[in-house]
């Protein structure tokens, strides 16, 4: 099978899932992080419903510790598409006492996003939240279905997944429950980048090699930003780096790289032996950190 045919089949499957969401749910939303997977989801939604506008608003959970490049890209994309943007604020959750700010060298707002996300879903009565998670990313995400049921508390039970034979999706739910929907579940990191190249999708500059002040912690390069408290032994240096995955600054590892183009990124990924989320500090808190967060209502 040629690469083009392979990507066309993945695209068709994802568009089918997005149209099923539009058919089965009353108030769906796209979870938009500014990362490559959510950008591809928005592009697929644009193609799925063209020439009409994307029928779903975009929801960004703003930790307050985002890369500025992410915020700038988000705002430019929303303006270009004429899409509706809803922002959930972790800072607001902290200020109102819904969550407590972590302290210390490893403090992060990444986990705090869960409460903000669930509060925002409840506030706007969203019954389906469309995300860019893929099964190849992490072992907990490999357990997900396309339509992933969440109970009235926003929690996920990996032992209670509904069958999806012949791409028949069951979106039935009780009052207060909702679904997370993952249209690119069957894609790999390489598929995503080859599709971005094929479609010539504009990407945030963070994904390309750039100079940044960084420091090394536990074998990872992290951005030297005010939201991260440095240990006395940690030294800030300037390196050529790029992001493979984008999230809260405090947990987004940076990759030493000389990838200046999409072709360079694809070549780099093909040669690497480190997984995509190998640079995510939040996944290293415990062996089951992702699954624990997902059970509590995380993306």
């Amino acid at each position: 099978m040629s690469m083009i045919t392979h990507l066309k089949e993945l695209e068709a499957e994802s568009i089918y899932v997005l149209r099923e969401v539009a058919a089965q749910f009353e108030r769906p939303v796209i979870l938009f992080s500014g990362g490559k997977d959510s950008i591809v989801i928005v592009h697929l939604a644009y193609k799925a419903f063209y020439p009409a506008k994307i029928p779903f608003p975009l929801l960004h959970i703003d930790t307050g510790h985002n890369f500025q490049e992410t915020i700038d890209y988000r705002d430019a994309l929303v303006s270009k598409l004429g899409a509706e943007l809803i922002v959930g604020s972790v800072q607001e959750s902290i200020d109102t006492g819904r969550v407590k700010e972590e302290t210390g060298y490893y403090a992060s707002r990444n986990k705090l996003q869960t409460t903000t996300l669930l509060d925002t879903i409840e506030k706007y009565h969203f019954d389906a939240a469309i995300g860019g998670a893929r099964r190849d990313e992490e072992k907990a995400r490999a357990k997900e279905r396309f339509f992933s049921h969440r109970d009235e508390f926003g929690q996920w039970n990996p032992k209670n997944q509904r069958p999806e034979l012949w791409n028949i999706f069951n979106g039935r739910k009780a009052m207060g429950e909702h679904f997370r929907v993952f249209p690119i579940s069957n894609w790999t990191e390489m598929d995503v980048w080859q599709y971005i190249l094929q479609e010539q999708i504009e990407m945030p500059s963070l994904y390309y090699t750039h100079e940044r002040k960084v420091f090394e912690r536990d074998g990872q390069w992290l951005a030297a930003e005010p939201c991260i408290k440095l240990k006395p032994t940690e030294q800030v240096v300037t390196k050529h780096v790029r992001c493979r995955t984008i999230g809260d600054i405090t947990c987004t590892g940076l990759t030493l790289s000389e990838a200046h183009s999409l072709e360079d990124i694809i070549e780099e990924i093909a040669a690497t032996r480190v997984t995509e989320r190998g640079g995510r500090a939040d996944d290293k808190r415990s062996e089951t950190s992702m699954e624990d967060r997902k059970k509590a209502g995380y993306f």
Side-chain angles (χ1 to χ4, degrees):
M1 180 185 299
S2 70
M3 181 189 72
I4 294 176
T5 301
H6 172 65
L7 293 177
K8 285 294 184 185
E9 289 187 354
L10 289 174
E11 178 189 68
E13 178 182 63
S14 300
I15 286 176
Y16 171 75
V17 173
L18 287 166
R19 289 172 176 167
E20 279 292 301
V21 172
Q24 294 196 37
F25 298 98
E26 295 180 3
R27 183 65 172 152
V29 67
I30 294 176
L31 301 178
F32 186 78
S33 67
K36 65 183 184 309
D37 299 315
S38 62
I39 291 169
V40 166
I41 291 291
V42 171
H43 181 79
L44 289 165
Y46 172 80
K47 295 188 76 171
F49 301 101
Y50 183 83
K53 289 185 178 181
I54 297 174
F56 320 123
L58 275 57
L59 170 59
H60 180 223
I61 302 301
D62 184 2
T63 67
H65 293 164
N66 296 107
F67 289 99
Q68 187 58 45
E69 294 94 330
T70 302
I71 302 301
D72 292 343
Y73 180 92
R74 178 201 71 187
D75 293 344
L77 181 64
V78 167
S79 176
K80 176 183 176 181
L81 296 176
E84 177 187 358
L85 174 66
I86 297 169
V87 178
S89 170
V90 173
Q91 183 63 57
E92 184 178 321
S93 297
I94 295 170
D95 294 342
T96 56
R98 291 286 294 145
V99 294
K100 183 179 179 180
E101 181 99 69
E102 294 182 0
T103 59
Y105 294 118
Y106 291 89
S108 174
R109 290 185 175 183
N110 191 61
K111 186 177 180 180
L112 308 186
Q113 294 181 87
T114 299
T115 298
T116 308
L117 172 61
L118 294 177
D119 286 351
T120 307
I121 287 174
E122 182 177 5
K123 176 181 178 180
Y124 289 92
H125 305 291
F126 294 128
D127 55 0
I130 305 163
R134 308 186 321 270
R135 294 188 181 119
D136 75 316
E137 285 183 273
E138 203 273 342
K139 55 190 175 184
R141 286 183 171 170
K143 299 178 182 180
E144 292 276 20
R145 300 289 193 268
F146 282 105
F147 278 29
S148 183
H149 176 264
R150 297 297 196 270
D151 66 19
E152 65 271 24
F153 301 106
Q155 297 177 332
W156 172 67
N157 183 353
K159 297 180 180 179
N160 188 28
Q161 295 287 288
R162 299 176 180 180
E164 294 180 338
L165 304 175
W166 305 291
N167 278 355
I168 298 176
F169 303 122
N170 181 356
R172 287 181 293 179
K173 57 181 173 46
M175 182 68 69
E177 298 176 345
H178 73 277
F179 277 79
R180 304 292 171 84
V181 181
F182 305 110
I184 61 170
S185 289
N186 289 334
W187 298 46
T188 65
E189 182 186 13
M190 181 64 80
D191 292 331
V192 169
W193 281 111
Q194 288 177 336
Y195 185 74
I196 290 169
L197 175 61
Q198 174 184 284
E199 299 290 300
Q200 287 296 295
I201 302 172
E202 184 178 352
M203 301 299 290
S205 59
L206 288 166
Y207 280 114
Y208 302 100
T209 295
H210 58 283
E211 275 195 359
R212 186 176 291 272
K213 292 186 183 299
V214 298
F215 67 96
E216 189 174 11
R217 174 179 293 176
D218 301 333
Q220 293 179 313
W221 291 103
L222 295 171
E225 296 286 346
C227 59
I228 304 180
K229 183 179 179 181
L230 293 179
K231 299 177 182 178
T233 57
E234 292 171 336
Q235 300 295 317
V236 175
V237 297
T238 300
K239 294 283 187 180
H240 286 91
V241 296
R242 76 174 191 88
C243 294
R244 281 182 71 185
T245 176
I246 296 176
D248 187 86
I249 289 174
T250 58
C251 61
T252 299
L254 302 168
T255 301
L256 299 178
S257 174
E258 292 297 333
H260 297 280
S261 66
L262 292 174
E263 290 84 357
D264 290 343
I265 291 173
I266 290 170
E267 184 176 345
E268 184 178 272
I269 292 170
T272 188
R273 297 180 65 84
V274 178
T275 62
E276 178 181 2
R277 293 189 68 91
R280 286 295 292 264
D282 51 328
D283 288 351
K284 299 181 184 298
R285 293 196 171 192
S286 77
E287 289 188 3
T288 60
S289 56
M290 172 64 82
E291 183 156 335
D292 292 340
R293 295 200 305 276
K294 286 177 68 64
K295 287 179 179 178
Y298 183 76
F299 170 62

